[in-house]
C-alpha cells in the first residue's frame, strides 16, 4: 500500500511480481548452468549492466540472500585478496589482528561480518560522523594510524551510500583517498542508496564509487524489485571464485560439455541459491534505464514535497534534517499540548515518549505505517521512507493529516 512507509523496501511492482510467480513455478536452483541456463545468462548480462552503471570496466558480481550477506562476501574477498593463504591455514596465515572500519551510522551487518569472520566485534572500528551524519575521512585516517600503532592490521573500509536511519551518503572520493594511502580494500554499502546511480539528478551523491573495490546494491529497495534481491559487485574478476571455491566434484565437474565458468555456485559460501534474477531482469526489460530514472526522480520529488508540506506546519512537525540526501524523512510529531512548550531536553524527552504511543495508534487504526527509532543523543523519532513508486502527493497530505488526527491529544 502506498501509505506503508515503514521499511526501506515498500510498494509493489506488478511486473516483478509476475517474475516471482514464474520463478516459483520453475522451482530451480542457481548453482549450475545445466539446471538454470536461461536464468544464469540473465544474471550474467544484468550484473554486467549494473557494473557498467557503477563505473567498473570489468569485474564480477553475484546475487546474494540480502545486503548483510553481500557485505560479508565483500569482506571475505578483501581478506582473501590481502591474505590468500588464510583460506587453507586460517589464523596462522595472519601477521596480527585484522581490523575493519565503517561509519558510526553504518548497517549492523558490518558488526555481524566481523563476528562471523572471527575478527571479533571489537575489531570493527566505528568512525565518527559529521553534522550531516556522514563519515569523516580525517577521522578514518586517524583511526587507521592508531590501529597500526597498536600492532593491528587494517584491511577493509566500508563507506555507506544511504545510511539506514538518516539516508546519509559518505564522501566516497575522500574515503577512497584514505584507502589508497593505506592500501586498504574500499567497499561501498549502497544497499539502500544504490538506486541513485540510475538518476542523472541524484547520481552525484555517489561520485567516486567507481574507485571502490566492491559495492553492495539492493534492487529490492529504491528500485522496487520484490524481496529479496541483493547484489554485490567486484572490480576484480576471479576473486569470488578464488575466495569461496570448494570444488565439489559431484556438482562442479570440470569436464562438462559447456564452459564451466557459467556454473556460479562455487563462487559463494552457499550451496543452494535461489533464483533472484528473473524478477529483476523482467522489471528492467519492462522499465528500461529511462523508466528507472523516472522512478528514482519520482521518489525524490515526493520526498521534497513532504519536506515542503512539513515546513508549512512547523508547530506540528519538527524535522531532524530538512535536506535529506535520500528519501528518509526523519521528524517528531508534536501534539497540541507541547506546541507552546519551550524547546529543550525536557520537551525532547517527552516527544521521544510520545512517538511510540502514536505508532501504536497508527497500527490500531490501520491507516498508516511509519517506523521510529532513537539515534545517538536523539530520543525516538519517526523515519518515513518513500520507496514505492505508487506514492502520490495525496498520500503525503493524508499522512500529515492522519498523524495530527491520531496524535493531537497525546
Amino acid at each position: 500500500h502506498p501509505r506503508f512507509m515503514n521499511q526501506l523496501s515498500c510498494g509493489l511492482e506488478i511486473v516483478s511480481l509476475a517474475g516471482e510467480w514464474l520463478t516459483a513455478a520453475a522451482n530451480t536452483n542457481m548453482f549450475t548452468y545445466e539446471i538454470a541456463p536461461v536464468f544464469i545468462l540473465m544474471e550474467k548480462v544484468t550484473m554486467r549492466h549494473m557494473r557498467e552503471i557503477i563505473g567498473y570496466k570489468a569485474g564480477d558480481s553475484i546475487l546474494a540472500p540480502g545486503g548483510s550477506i553481500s557485505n560479508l562476501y565483500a569482506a571475505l574477498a578483501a581478506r582473501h585478496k590481502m591474505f590468500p593463504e588464510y583460506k587453507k591455514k586460517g589464523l596462522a596465515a595472519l601477521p596480527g589482528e585484522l581490523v575493519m572500519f565503517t561509519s558510526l551510522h553504518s548497517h549492523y551487518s558490518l558488526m555481524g561480518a566481523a563476528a562471523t569472520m572471527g575478527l571479533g566485534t571489537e575489531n570493527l572500528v566505528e568512525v565518527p560522523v559529521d553534522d550531516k551524519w556522514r563519515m569523516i575521512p580525517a577521522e578514518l585516517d586517524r583511526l587507521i594510524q592508531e590501529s597500526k600503532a597498536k600492532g593491528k592490521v587494517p584491511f577493509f573500509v566500508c563507506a555507506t551510500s544511504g545510511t539506514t536511519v538518516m539516508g546519509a551518503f559518505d564522501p566516497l572520493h575522500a574515503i577512497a583517498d584514505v584507502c589508497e594511502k593505506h592500501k586498504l580494500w574500499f567497499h561501498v554499502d549502497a544497499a539502500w542508496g544504490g538506486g541513485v546511480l540510475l538518476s542523472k539528478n541524484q547520481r552525484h551523491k555517489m561520485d567516486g564509487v567507481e574507485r571502490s573495490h566492491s559495492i553492495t546494491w539492493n534492487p529490492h529497495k529504491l528500485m522496487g524489485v520484490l524481496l529479496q534481491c541483493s547484489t554485490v559487485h567486484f572490480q576484480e574478476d576471479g576473486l569470488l571464485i578464488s575466495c569461496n571455491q570448494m570444488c565439489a566434484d559431484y556438482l562442479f565437474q570440470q569436464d562438462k560439455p559447456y564452459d564451466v565458468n557459467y556454473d556460479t555456485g562455487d563462487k559463494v559460501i552457499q550451496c543452494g541459491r535461489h533464483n533472484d534474477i528473473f524478477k529483476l531482469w523482467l522489471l528492467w526489460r519492462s522499465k528500461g534505464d529511462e523508466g528507472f530514472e523516472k522512478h528514482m526522480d519520482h521518489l525524490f520529488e515526493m520526498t521534497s514535497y513532504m519536506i515542503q508540506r512539513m515546513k508549512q506546519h512547523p508547530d506540528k512537525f519538527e524535522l531532524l534534517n530538512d535536506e535529506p540526501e535520500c528519501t528518509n524523512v526523519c521528524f517528531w510529531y508534536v501534539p497540541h499540548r507541547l506546541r507552546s512548550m519551550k524547546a529543550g531536553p525536557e520537551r525532547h524527552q517527552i516527544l521521544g515518549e510520545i512517538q511510540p504511543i502514536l505508532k501504536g495508534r497508527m497500527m490500531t487504526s490501520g491507516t498508516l505505517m511509519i517506523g521510529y527509532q532513537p539515534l545517538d543523543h536523539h530520543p525516538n523519532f519517526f523515519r518515513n521512507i518513500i520507496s514505492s513508486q505508487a506514492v502520490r502527493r495525496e498520500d503525503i497530505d493524508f499522512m500529515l493529516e492522519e498523524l495530527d488526527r491520531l496524535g493531537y491529544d497525546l
Side-chain angles (χ1 to χ4, degrees):
H1 197 283
R3 292 168 189 172
F4 177 90
M5 303 181 183
N6 204 75
Q7 309 301 132
L8 301 183
S9 48
C10 302
L12 176 65
E13 291 278 1
I14 296 298
V15 173
S16 186
L17 175 61
E20 184 77 331
W21 282 346
L22 222 144
T23 295
N27 193 32
T28 191
N29 212 314
M30 287 288 286
F31 47 49
T32 61
Y33 175 80
E34 65 191 88
I35 62 168
V38 176
F39 297 133
I40 292 288
L41 295 177
M42 285 176 176
E43 184 173 58
K44 190 174 182 67
V45 299
T46 308
M47 296 301 99
R48 183 174 64 225
H49 186 56
M50 292 180 80
R51 290 197 303 273
E52 289 168 354
I53 290 169
I54 292 163
Y56 290 172
K57 291 183 171 58
D60 196 10
S61 310
I62 202 78
L63 278 138
S68 296
I69 302 301
S70 294
N71 287 338
L72 175 62
Y73 280 150
L76 288 169
R79 183 176 65 185
H80 181 72
K81 177 70 175 176
M82 189 174 286
F83 304 104
E85 288 297 303
Y86 185 92
K87 183 176 177 179
K88 292 181 180 178
K89 298 181 179 178
L91 294 174
L94 301 180
E97 288 183 72
L98 299 186
V99 186
M100 302 164 64
F101 300 83
T102 191
S103 158
L104 178 65
H105 287 179
S106 67
H107 192 262
Y108 75 92
S109 60
L110 276 300
M111 190 169 289
T116 301
M117 293 170 66
L119 277 63
T121 55
E122 289 184 358
N123 282 322
L124 176 72
V125 178
E126 295 181 324
V127 182
V129 296
D130 61 20
D131 59 359
K132 295 293 184 182
W133 299 279
R134 300 172 297 202
M135 184 193 290
I136 303 172
E139 287 294 292
L140 171 65
D141 188 37
R142 177 183 66 82
L143 289 166
I144 290 169
Q145 294 185 56
E146 277 187 10
S147 291
K148 287 180 175 179
K150 293 175 183 176
K152 296 191 176 186
V153 184
F155 80 106
F156 179 89
V157 173
C158 176
T160 307
S161 290
T163 56
T164 305
V165 178
M166 299 304 299
F169 285 76
D170 289 339
L172 301 186
H173 271 305
I175 295 170
D177 290 342
V178 175
C179 291
E180 288 176 7
K181 172 184 174 182
H182 294 282
K183 297 180 171 57
L184 305 184
W185 183 282
F186 177 31
H187 175 65
V188 177
D189 178 4
W192 172 220
V196 304
L197 292 170
L198 297 163
S199 167
K200 290 187 285 290
N201 294 324
Q202 304 298 331
R203 185 185 171 91
H204 65 91
K205 295 170 182 176
M206 288 184 65
D207 283 351
V209 66
E210 69 282 354
R211 298 175 63 188
S212 64
H213 296 94
S214 56
I215 172 175
T216 292
W217 177 358
N218 286 4
H220 69 234
K221 291 181 177 169
L222 274 179
M223 292 171 70
V225 180
L226 263 66
L227 284 162
Q228 66 189 16
C229 191
S230 176
T231 65
V232 59
H233 308 270
F234 296 86
Q235 182 140 204
E236 181 178 336
D237 196 5
L239 265 181
L240 268 175
I241 193 77
S242 175
C243 178
N244 299 314
Q245 185 178 39
M246 292 301 158
C247 303
D249 57 12
Y250 49 85
L251 273 180
F252 308 116
Q253 305 91 336
Q254 298 302 293
D255 54 358
K256 290 180 176 180
Y258 59 82
D259 183 351
V260 294
N261 288 319
Y262 287 97
D263 286 353
T264 57
D266 228 8
K267 289 183 178 182
V268 291
I269 58 176
Q270 308 159 242
C271 177
R273 196 161 69 87
H274 185 258
N275 175 1
D276 291 328
I277 186 59
F278 186 54
K279 59 197 170 192
L280 170 59
W281 179 88
L282 197 66
L283 184 60
W284 215 316
R285 289 288 292 176
S286 169
K287 281 179 176 283
D289 290 356
E290 185 180 341
F292 268 125
E293 180 171 35
K294 290 177 180 175
H295 176 126
M296 293 301 141
D297 290 345
H298 173 73
L299 299 182
F300 281 88
E301 182 187 333
M302 291 300 98
T303 304
S304 296
Y305 178 73
M306 182 174 174
I307 294 288
Q308 173 197 328
R309 292 283 286 110
M310 285 187 159
K311 285 182 173 179
Q312 290 171 358
H313 300 280
D315 57 326
K316 300 177 183 178
F317 303 103
E318 185 176 329
L319 287 157
L320 265 78
N321 182 7
D322 61 2
E323 295 181 350
E325 290 189 280
C326 206
T327 66
N328 313 43
V329 178
C330 297
F331 66 95
W332 287 279
Y333 169 75
V334 183
H336 182 261
R337 69 182 173 94
L338 295 181
R339 291 174 191 173
S340 58
M341 185 176 181
K342 185 179 178 183
E346 184 184 354
R347 182 174 180 271
H348 257 190
Q349 182 183 343
I350 298 171
L351 282 174
E353 293 166 355
I354 282 171
Q355 309 309 302
I357 301 170
L358 178 52
K359 173 68 178 271
R361 289 186 176 186
M362 199 187 300
M363 293 174 70
T364 302
S365 70
T367 51
L368 282 177
M369 193 78 153
I370 306 173
Y372 73 86
Q373 67 286 299
L375 183 70
D376 300 336
H377 61 280
H378 298 296
N380 286 320
F381 57 88
F382 282 117
R383 179 202 64 167
N384 188 86
I385 296 296
I386 299 177
S387 65
S388 168
Q389 53 83 33
V391 174
R392 295 292 181 266
R393 292 187 176 210
E394 50 265 34
D395 297 305
I396 292 168
D397 292 339
F398 173 85
M399 176 187 67
L400 302 185
E401 291 167 9
E402 184 69 355
L403 285 171
D404 199 33
R405 183 183 75 84
L406 294 171
Y408 184 87
D409 63 341
L410 283 174

